[in-house]
PDB file of all heavy atoms in Angstrom:
ATOM      1  N   CYS R   1      -1.739 -20.962  70.848  1.00 97.00           N
ATOM      2  CA  CYS R   1      -3.124 -21.383  70.995  1.00 97.00           C
ATOM      3  C   CYS R   1      -3.960 -20.213  71.504  1.00 97.00           C
ATOM      4  O   CYS R   1      -3.410 -19.229  72.014  1.00 97.00           O
ATOM      5  CB  CYS R   1      -3.264 -22.600  71.896  1.00 97.00           C
ATOM      6  SG  CYS R   1      -2.685 -22.368  73.588  1.00 97.00           S
ATOM      7  N   ILE R   2      -5.261 -20.349  71.358  1.00 97.00           N
ATOM      8  CA  ILE R   2      -6.160 -19.256  71.716  1.00 97.00           C
ATOM      9  C   ILE R   2      -7.433 -19.842  72.315  1.00 97.00           C
ATOM     10  O   ILE R   2      -7.942 -20.863  71.835  1.00 97.00           O
ATOM     11  CB  ILE R   2      -6.458 -18.374  70.474  1.00 97.00           C
ATOM     12  CG1 ILE R   2      -7.248 -17.123  70.855  1.00 97.00           C
ATOM     13  CG2 ILE R   2      -7.160 -19.172  69.372  1.00 97.00           C
ATOM     14  CD1 ILE R   2      -7.289 -16.083  69.738  1.00 97.00           C
ATOM     15  N   THR R   3      -7.914 -19.208  73.376  1.00 97.00           N
ATOM     16  CA  THR R   3      -9.105 -19.708  74.043  1.00 97.00           C
ATOM     17  C   THR R   3     -10.357 -19.507  73.194  1.00 97.00           C
ATOM     18  O   THR R   3     -10.328 -18.828  72.171  1.00 97.00           O
ATOM     19  CB  THR R   3      -9.277 -19.019  75.405  1.00 97.00           C
ATOM     20  OG1 THR R   3      -9.206 -17.591  75.225  1.00 97.00           O
ATOM     21  CG2 THR R   3      -8.187 -19.449  76.361  1.00 97.00           C
ATOM     22  N   GLU R   4     -11.448 -20.106  73.655  1.00 96.00           N
ATOM     23  CA  GLU R   4     -12.672 -20.138  72.849  1.00 96.00           C
ATOM     24  C   GLU R   4     -13.159 -18.748  72.452  1.00 96.00           C
ATOM     25  O   GLU R   4     -13.604 -18.547  71.322  1.00 96.00           O
ATOM     26  CB  GLU R   4     -13.790 -20.866  73.611  1.00 96.00           C
ATOM     27  CG  GLU R   4     -13.548 -22.347  73.824  1.00 96.00           C
ATOM     28  CD  GLU R   4     -12.851 -22.640  75.147  1.00 96.00           C
ATOM     29  OE1 GLU R   4     -12.087 -21.771  75.625  1.00 96.00           O
ATOM     30  OE2 GLU R   4     -13.077 -23.726  75.700  1.00 96.00           O
ATOM     31  N   ASN R   5     -13.098 -17.816  73.366  1.00 95.00           N
ATOM     32  CA  ASN R   5     -13.583 -16.475  73.033  1.00 95.00           C
ATOM     33  C   ASN R   5     -12.456 -15.527  72.650  1.00 95.00           C
ATOM     34  O   ASN R   5     -12.703 -14.340  72.429  1.00 95.00           O
ATOM     35  CB  ASN R   5     -14.401 -15.887  74.186  1.00 95.00           C
ATOM     36  CG  ASN R   5     -13.582 -15.703  75.448  1.00 95.00           C
ATOM     37  OD1 ASN R   5     -12.376 -15.948  75.462  1.00 95.00           O
ATOM     38  ND2 ASN R   5     -14.218 -15.274  76.514  1.00 95.00           N
ATOM     39  N   GLY R   6     -11.254 -16.041  72.579  1.00 95.00           N
ATOM     40  CA  GLY R   6     -10.121 -15.244  72.127  1.00 95.00           C
ATOM     41  C   GLY R   6      -9.516 -14.335  73.168  1.00 95.00           C
ATOM     42  O   GLY R   6      -8.629 -13.542  72.841  1.00 95.00           O
ATOM     43  N   ASP R   7      -9.946 -14.455  74.425  1.00 94.00           N
ATOM     44  CA  ASP R   7      -9.457 -13.503  75.419  1.00 94.00           C
ATOM     45  C   ASP R   7      -8.065 -13.824  75.921  1.00 94.00           C
ATOM     46  O   ASP R   7      -7.399 -12.973  76.521  1.00 94.00           O
ATOM     47  CB  ASP R   7     -10.437 -13.391  76.593  1.00 94.00           C
ATOM     48  CG  ASP R   7     -10.593 -14.690  77.363  1.00 94.00           C
ATOM     49  OD1 ASP R   7     -10.270 -15.756  76.798  1.00 94.00           O
ATOM     50  OD2 ASP R   7     -11.045 -14.643  78.513  1.00 94.00           O
ATOM     51  N   GLN R   8      -7.583 -15.026  75.674  1.00 95.00           N
ATOM     52  CA  GLN R   8      -6.225 -15.385  76.080  1.00 95.00           C
ATOM     53  C   GLN R   8      -5.545 -16.154  74.959  1.00 95.00           C
ATOM     54  O   GLN R   8      -6.166 -16.987  74.286  1.00 95.00           O
ATOM     55  CB  GLN R   8      -6.246 -16.210  77.356  1.00 95.00           C
ATOM     56  CG  GLN R   8      -6.805 -15.453  78.548  1.00 95.00           C
ATOM     57  CD  GLN R   8      -6.380 -16.061  79.859  1.00 95.00           C
ATOM     58  OE1 GLN R   8      -5.203 -16.304  80.089  1.00 95.00           O
ATOM     59  NE2 GLN R   8      -7.350 -16.307  80.722  1.00 95.00           N
ATOM     60  N   GLN R   9      -4.261 -15.855  74.795  1.00 96.00           N
ATOM     61  CA  GLN R   9      -3.466 -16.531  73.785  1.00 96.00           C
ATOM     62  C   GLN R   9      -2.121 -16.927  74.390  1.00 96.00           C
ATOM     63  O   GLN R   9      -1.657 -16.327  75.356  1.00 96.00           O
ATOM     64  CB  GLN R   9      -3.199 -15.617  72.564  1.00 96.00           C
ATOM     65  CG  GLN R   9      -4.431 -14.953  71.981  1.00 96.00           C
ATOM     66  CD  GLN R   9      -4.696 -13.598  72.604  1.00 96.00           C
ATOM     67  OE1 GLN R   9      -3.769 -12.860  72.921  1.00 96.00           O
ATOM     68  NE2 GLN R   9      -5.962 -13.260  72.771  1.00 96.00           N
ATOM     69  N   SER R  10      -1.540 -17.925  73.790  1.00 96.00           N
ATOM     70  CA  SER R  10      -0.170 -18.280  74.123  1.00 96.00           C
ATOM     71  C   SER R  10       0.653 -18.253  72.846  1.00 96.00           C
ATOM     72  O   SER R  10       0.120 -18.469  71.752  1.00 96.00           O
ATOM     73  CB  SER R  10      -0.098 -19.648  74.779  1.00 96.00           C
ATOM     74  OG  SER R  10      -0.316 -20.665  73.808  1.00 96.00           O
ATOM     75  N   LEU R  11       1.933 -17.993  72.995  1.00 96.00           N
ATOM     76  CA  LEU R  11       2.825 -17.979  71.840  1.00 96.00           C
ATOM     77  C   LEU R  11       4.208 -18.380  72.328  1.00 96.00           C
ATOM     78  O   LEU R  11       4.690 -17.875  73.344  1.00 96.00           O
ATOM     79  CB  LEU R  11       2.871 -16.586  71.215  1.00 96.00           C
ATOM     80  CG  LEU R  11       3.773 -16.407  70.010  1.00 96.00           C
ATOM     81  CD1 LEU R  11       3.269 -17.224  68.826  1.00 96.00           C
ATOM     82  CD2 LEU R  11       3.871 -14.937  69.632  1.00 96.00           C
ATOM     83  N   VAL R  12       4.830 -19.279  71.601  1.00 95.00           N
ATOM     84  CA  VAL R  12       6.180 -19.697  71.981  1.00 95.00           C
ATOM     85  C   VAL R  12       7.076 -18.468  71.978  1.00 95.00           C
ATOM     86  O   VAL R  12       6.980 -17.587  71.110  1.00 95.00           O
ATOM     87  CB  VAL R  12       6.683 -20.792  71.026  1.00 95.00           C
ATOM     88  CG1 VAL R  12       6.858 -20.265  69.620  1.00 95.00           C
ATOM     89  CG2 VAL R  12       7.950 -21.416  71.546  1.00 95.00           C
ATOM     90  N   SER R  13       7.925 -18.360  72.979  1.00 94.00           N
ATOM     91  CA  SER R  13       8.684 -17.131  73.204  1.00 94.00           C
ATOM     92  C   SER R  13       9.560 -16.741  72.019  1.00 94.00           C
ATOM     93  O   SER R  13       9.754 -15.559  71.740  1.00 94.00           O
ATOM     94  CB  SER R  13       9.525 -17.255  74.472  1.00 94.00           C
ATOM     95  OG  SER R  13      10.402 -18.358  74.388  1.00 94.00           O
ATOM     96  N   SER R  14      10.078 -17.742  71.298  1.00 95.00           N
ATOM     97  CA  SER R  14      10.978 -17.451  70.181  1.00 95.00           C
ATOM     98  C   SER R  14      10.286 -16.728  69.030  1.00 95.00           C
ATOM     99  O   SER R  14      10.958 -16.162  68.164  1.00 95.00           O
ATOM    100  CB  SER R  14      11.609 -18.744  69.673  1.00 95.00           C
ATOM    101  OG  SER R  14      10.612 -19.631  69.205  1.00 95.00           O
ATOM    102  N   LEU R  15       8.957 -16.740  69.012  1.00 96.00           N
ATOM    103  CA  LEU R  15       8.221 -16.130  67.912  1.00 96.00           C
ATOM    104  C   LEU R  15       7.502 -14.842  68.315  1.00 96.00           C
ATOM    105  O   LEU R  15       6.820 -14.231  67.492  1.00 96.00           O
ATOM    106  CB  LEU R  15       7.204 -17.122  67.345  1.00 96.00           C
ATOM    107  CG  LEU R  15       7.794 -18.395  66.740  1.00 96.00           C
ATOM    108  CD1 LEU R  15       6.687 -19.324  66.266  1.00 96.00           C
ATOM    109  CD2 LEU R  15       8.742 -18.070  65.588  1.00 96.00           C
ATOM    110  N   LYS R  16       7.642 -14.459  69.560  1.00 94.00           N
ATOM    111  CA  LYS R  16       6.969 -13.246  70.021  1.00 94.00           C
ATOM    112  C   LYS R  16       7.492 -12.038  69.265  1.00 94.00           C
ATOM    113  O   LYS R  16       8.676 -11.904  69.019  1.00 94.00           O
ATOM    114  CB  LYS R  16       7.141 -13.084  71.528  1.00 94.00           C
ATOM    115  CG  LYS R  16       6.294 -14.064  72.308  1.00 94.00           C
ATOM    116  CD  LYS R  16       6.369 -13.834  73.803  1.00 94.00           C
ATOM    117  CE  LYS R  16       5.460 -14.821  74.520  1.00 94.00           C
ATOM    118  NZ  LYS R  16       5.512 -14.675  76.002  1.00 94.00           N
ATOM    119  N   GLY R  17       6.560 -11.190  68.882  1.00 95.00           N
ATOM    120  CA  GLY R  17       6.903 -10.012  68.102  1.00 95.00           C
ATOM    121  C   GLY R  17       6.770 -10.233  66.608  1.00 95.00           C
ATOM    122  O   GLY R  17       6.745  -9.269  65.842  1.00 95.00           O
ATOM    123  N   ARG R  18       6.683 -11.495  66.180  1.00 98.00           N
ATOM    124  CA  ARG R  18       6.552 -11.792  64.744  1.00 98.00           C
ATOM    125  C   ARG R  18       5.249 -12.507  64.415  1.00 98.00           C
ATOM    126  O   ARG R  18       4.676 -12.288  63.353  1.00 98.00           O
ATOM    127  CB  ARG R  18       7.726 -12.625  64.258  1.00 98.00           C
ATOM    128  CG  ARG R  18       9.071 -11.946  64.337  1.00 98.00           C
ATOM    129  CD  ARG R  18      10.104 -12.630  63.450  1.00 98.00           C
ATOM    130  NE  ARG R  18      10.322 -14.021  63.794  1.00 98.00           N
ATOM    131  CZ  ARG R  18      10.139 -15.045  62.955  1.00 98.00           C
ATOM    132  NH1 ARG R  18       9.691 -14.824  61.737  1.00 98.00           N
ATOM    133  NH2 ARG R  18      10.401 -16.273  63.341  1.00 98.00           N
ATOM    134  N   PHE R  19       4.782 -13.373  65.275  1.00 98.00           N
ATOM    135  CA  PHE R  19       3.575 -14.156  65.010  1.00 98.00           C
ATOM    136  C   PHE R  19       2.467 -13.716  65.960  1.00 98.00           C
ATOM    137  O   PHE R  19       2.710 -13.421  67.130  1.00 98.00           O
ATOM    138  CB  PHE R  19       3.833 -15.645  65.219  1.00 98.00           C
ATOM    139  CG  PHE R  19       4.651 -16.314  64.142  1.00 98.00           C
ATOM    140  CD1 PHE R  19       5.506 -15.604  63.324  1.00 98.00           C
ATOM    141  CD2 PHE R  19       4.561 -17.687  63.952  1.00 98.00           C
ATOM    142  CE1 PHE R  19       6.257 -16.220  62.345  1.00 98.00           C
ATOM    143  CE2 PHE R  19       5.309 -18.327  62.973  1.00 98.00           C
ATOM    144  CZ  PHE R  19       6.158 -17.599  62.177  1.00 98.00           C
ATOM    145  N   THR R  20       1.245 -13.728  65.470  1.00 98.00           N
ATOM    146  CA  THR R  20       0.081 -13.383  66.277  1.00 98.00           C
ATOM    147  C   THR R  20      -1.078 -14.300  65.926  1.00 98.00           C
ATOM    148  O   THR R  20      -1.397 -14.477  64.744  1.00 98.00           O
ATOM    149  CB  THR R  20      -0.360 -11.928  66.036  1.00 98.00           C
ATOM    150  OG1 THR R  20       0.740 -11.039  66.268  1.00 98.00           O
ATOM    151  CG2 THR R  20      -1.500 -11.549  66.968  1.00 98.00           C
ATOM    152  N   ILE R  21      -1.709 -14.863  66.941  1.00 98.00           N
ATOM    153  CA  ILE R  21      -2.887 -15.694  66.722  1.00 98.00           C
ATOM    154  C   ILE R  21      -4.134 -14.873  67.025  1.00 98.00           C
ATOM    155  O   ILE R  21      -4.127 -14.018  67.923  1.00 98.00           O
ATOM    156  CB  ILE R  21      -2.843 -16.964  67.598  1.00 98.00           C
ATOM    157  CG1 ILE R  21      -3.919 -17.961  67.173  1.00 98.00           C
ATOM    158  CG2 ILE R  21      -2.951 -16.610  69.074  1.00 98.00           C
ATOM    159  CD1 ILE R  21      -3.780 -19.327  67.855  1.00 98.00           C
ATOM    160  N   SER R  22      -5.180 -15.107  66.265  1.00 98.00           N
ATOM    161  CA  SER R  22      -6.444 -14.417  66.497  1.00 98.00           C
ATOM    162  C   SER R  22      -7.578 -15.310  66.013  1.00 98.00           C
ATOM    163  O   SER R  22      -7.341 -16.316  65.342  1.00 98.00           O
ATOM    164  CB  SER R  22      -6.472 -13.067  65.773  1.00 98.00           C
ATOM    165  OG  SER R  22      -6.376 -13.243  64.374  1.00 98.00           O
ATOM    166  N   ARG R  23      -8.781 -14.912  66.350  1.00 97.00           N
ATOM    167  CA  ARG R  23      -9.927 -15.688  65.869  1.00 97.00           C
ATOM    168  C   ARG R  23     -11.106 -14.770  65.627  1.00 97.00           C
ATOM    169  O   ARG R  23     -11.245 -13.725  66.279  1.00 97.00           O
ATOM    170  CB  ARG R  23     -10.296 -16.809  66.843  1.00 97.00           C
ATOM    171  CG  ARG R  23     -10.885 -16.394  68.154  1.00 97.00           C
ATOM    172  CD  ARG R  23     -10.963 -17.597  69.116  1.00 97.00           C
ATOM    173  NE  ARG R  23     -11.698 -18.714  68.525  1.00 97.00           N
ATOM    174  CZ  ARG R  23     -11.568 -19.988  68.932  1.00 97.00           C
ATOM    175  NH1 ARG R  23     -10.743 -20.283  69.924  1.00 97.00           N
ATOM    176  NH2 ARG R  23     -12.280 -20.940  68.368  1.00 97.00           N
ATOM    177  N   ASP R  24     -11.934 -15.178  64.689  1.00 96.00           N
ATOM    178  CA  ASP R  24     -13.185 -14.493  64.397  1.00 96.00           C
ATOM    179  C   ASP R  24     -14.275 -15.552  64.425  1.00 96.00           C
ATOM    180  O   ASP R  24     -14.481 -16.257  63.431  1.00 96.00           O
ATOM    181  CB  ASP R  24     -13.109 -13.799  63.034  1.00 96.00           C
ATOM    182  CG  ASP R  24     -14.336 -12.955  62.734  1.00 96.00           C
ATOM    183  OD1 ASP R  24     -15.376 -13.181  63.363  1.00 96.00           O
ATOM    184  OD2 ASP R  24     -14.240 -12.079  61.858  1.00 96.00           O
ATOM    185  N   ASN R  25     -14.927 -15.678  65.548  1.00 95.00           N
ATOM    186  CA  ASN R  25     -15.915 -16.745  65.683  1.00 95.00           C
ATOM    187  C   ASN R  25     -17.128 -16.515  64.781  1.00 95.00           C
ATOM    188  O   ASN R  25     -17.799 -17.477  64.396  1.00 95.00           O
ATOM    189  CB  ASN R  25     -16.338 -16.883  67.138  1.00 95.00           C
ATOM    190  CG  ASN R  25     -15.252 -17.510  67.997  1.00 95.00           C
ATOM    191  OD1 ASN R  25     -14.358 -18.192  67.487  1.00 95.00           O
ATOM    192  ND2 ASN R  25     -15.306 -17.272  69.295  1.00 95.00           N
ATOM    193  N   ALA R  26     -17.400 -15.276  64.444  1.00 94.00           N
ATOM    194  CA  ALA R  26     -18.507 -15.007  63.517  1.00 94.00           C
ATOM    195  C   ALA R  26     -18.211 -15.585  62.145  1.00 94.00           C
ATOM    196  O   ALA R  26     -19.139 -15.986  61.418  1.00 94.00           O
ATOM    197  CB  ALA R  26     -18.746 -13.508  63.430  1.00 94.00           C
ATOM    198  N   LYS R  27     -16.926 -15.618  61.766  1.00 94.00           N
ATOM    199  CA  LYS R  27     -16.525 -16.196  60.479  1.00 94.00           C
ATOM    200  C   LYS R  27     -16.027 -17.621  60.625  1.00 94.00           C
ATOM    201  O   LYS R  27     -15.612 -18.236  59.642  1.00 94.00           O
ATOM    202  CB  LYS R  27     -15.446 -15.318  59.838  1.00 94.00           C
ATOM    203  CG  LYS R  27     -15.923 -13.916  59.484  1.00 94.00           C
ATOM    204  CD  LYS R  27     -14.828 -13.112  58.814  1.00 94.00           C
ATOM    205  CE  LYS R  27     -15.327 -11.724  58.422  1.00 94.00           C
ATOM    206  NZ  LYS R  27     -14.259 -10.908  57.782  1.00 94.00           N
ATOM    207  N   ASN R  28     -16.039 -18.114  61.860  1.00 94.00           N
ATOM    208  CA  ASN R  28     -15.618 -19.499  62.127  1.00 94.00           C
ATOM    209  C   ASN R  28     -14.193 -19.760  61.662  1.00 94.00           C
ATOM    210  O   ASN R  28     -13.904 -20.797  61.043  1.00 94.00           O
ATOM    211  CB  ASN R  28     -16.572 -20.491  61.453  1.00 94.00           C
ATOM    212  CG  ASN R  28     -16.674 -21.796  62.202  1.00 94.00           C
ATOM    213  OD1 ASN R  28     -16.571 -21.839  63.435  1.00 94.00           O
ATOM    214  ND2 ASN R  28     -16.872 -22.880  61.469  1.00 94.00           N
ATOM    215  N   THR R  29     -13.303 -18.814  61.942  1.00 97.00           N
ATOM    216  CA  THR R  29     -11.910 -18.962  61.532  1.00 97.00           C
ATOM    217  C   THR R  29     -10.967 -18.598  62.677  1.00 97.00           C
ATOM    218  O   THR R  29     -11.291 -17.775  63.527  1.00 97.00           O
ATOM    219  CB  THR R  29     -11.568 -18.076  60.326  1.00 97.00           C
ATOM    220  OG1 THR R  29     -11.768 -16.705  60.676  1.00 97.00           O
ATOM    221  CG2 THR R  29     -12.421 -18.421  59.114  1.00 97.00           C
ATOM    222  N   VAL R  30      -9.803 -19.227  62.640  1.00 98.00           N
ATOM    223  CA  VAL R  30      -8.690 -18.863  63.512  1.00 98.00           C
ATOM    224  C   VAL R  30      -7.511 -18.568  62.598  1.00 98.00           C
ATOM    225  O   VAL R  30      -7.250 -19.328  61.653  1.00 98.00           O
ATOM    226  CB  VAL R  30      -8.346 -19.993  64.487  1.00 98.00           C
ATOM    227  CG1 VAL R  30      -7.104 -19.635  65.306  1.00 98.00           C
ATOM    228  CG2 VAL R  30      -9.529 -20.267  65.415  1.00 98.00           C
ATOM    229  N   SER R  31      -6.833 -17.478  62.853  1.00 98.00           N
ATOM    230  CA  SER R  31      -5.747 -17.043  61.974  1.00 98.00           C
ATOM    231  C   SER R  31      -4.415 -17.016  62.703  1.00 98.00           C
ATOM    232  O   SER R  31      -4.369 -16.866  63.929  1.00 98.00           O
ATOM    233  CB  SER R  31      -6.051 -15.642  61.431  1.00 98.00           C
ATOM    234  OG  SER R  31      -7.248 -15.634  60.680  1.00 98.00           O
ATOM    235  N   LEU R  32      -3.364 -17.146  61.915  1.00 98.00           N
ATOM    236  CA  LEU R  32      -2.010 -16.979  62.413  1.00 98.00           C
ATOM    237  C   LEU R  32      -1.325 -15.987  61.492  1.00 98.00           C
ATOM    238  O   LEU R  32      -1.047 -16.298  60.334  1.00 98.00           O
ATOM    239  CB  LEU R  32      -1.245 -18.298  62.435  1.00 98.00           C
ATOM    240  CG  LEU R  32       0.151 -18.238  63.046  1.00 98.00           C
ATOM    241  CD1 LEU R  32       0.069 -17.971  64.555  1.00 98.00           C
ATOM    242  CD2 LEU R  32       0.926 -19.527  62.788  1.00 98.00           C
ATOM    243  N   GLN R  33      -1.103 -14.782  61.992  1.00 98.00           N
ATOM    244  CA  GLN R  33      -0.414 -13.754  61.234  1.00 98.00           C
ATOM    245  C   GLN R  33       1.075 -13.887  61.468  1.00 98.00           C
ATOM    246  O   GLN R  33       1.525 -13.873  62.616  1.00 98.00           O
ATOM    247  CB  GLN R  33      -0.892 -12.363  61.658  1.00 98.00           C
ATOM    248  CG  GLN R  33      -0.210 -11.229  60.938  1.00 98.00           C
ATOM    249  CD  GLN R  33      -0.595 -11.146  59.474  1.00 98.00           C
ATOM    250  OE1 GLN R  33      -1.763 -11.242  59.117  1.00 98.00           O
ATOM    251  NE2 GLN R  33       0.391 -10.972  58.608  1.00 98.00           N
TER     252      GLN R  33
END
């Protein structure tokens, strides 16, 4: 999950190093790489 302004994220430990969450509020999108 990711906070409203993107300054903090959480990620389940088993996926760290492979998955990344981000957001672009100008484009109104949240991504999961």
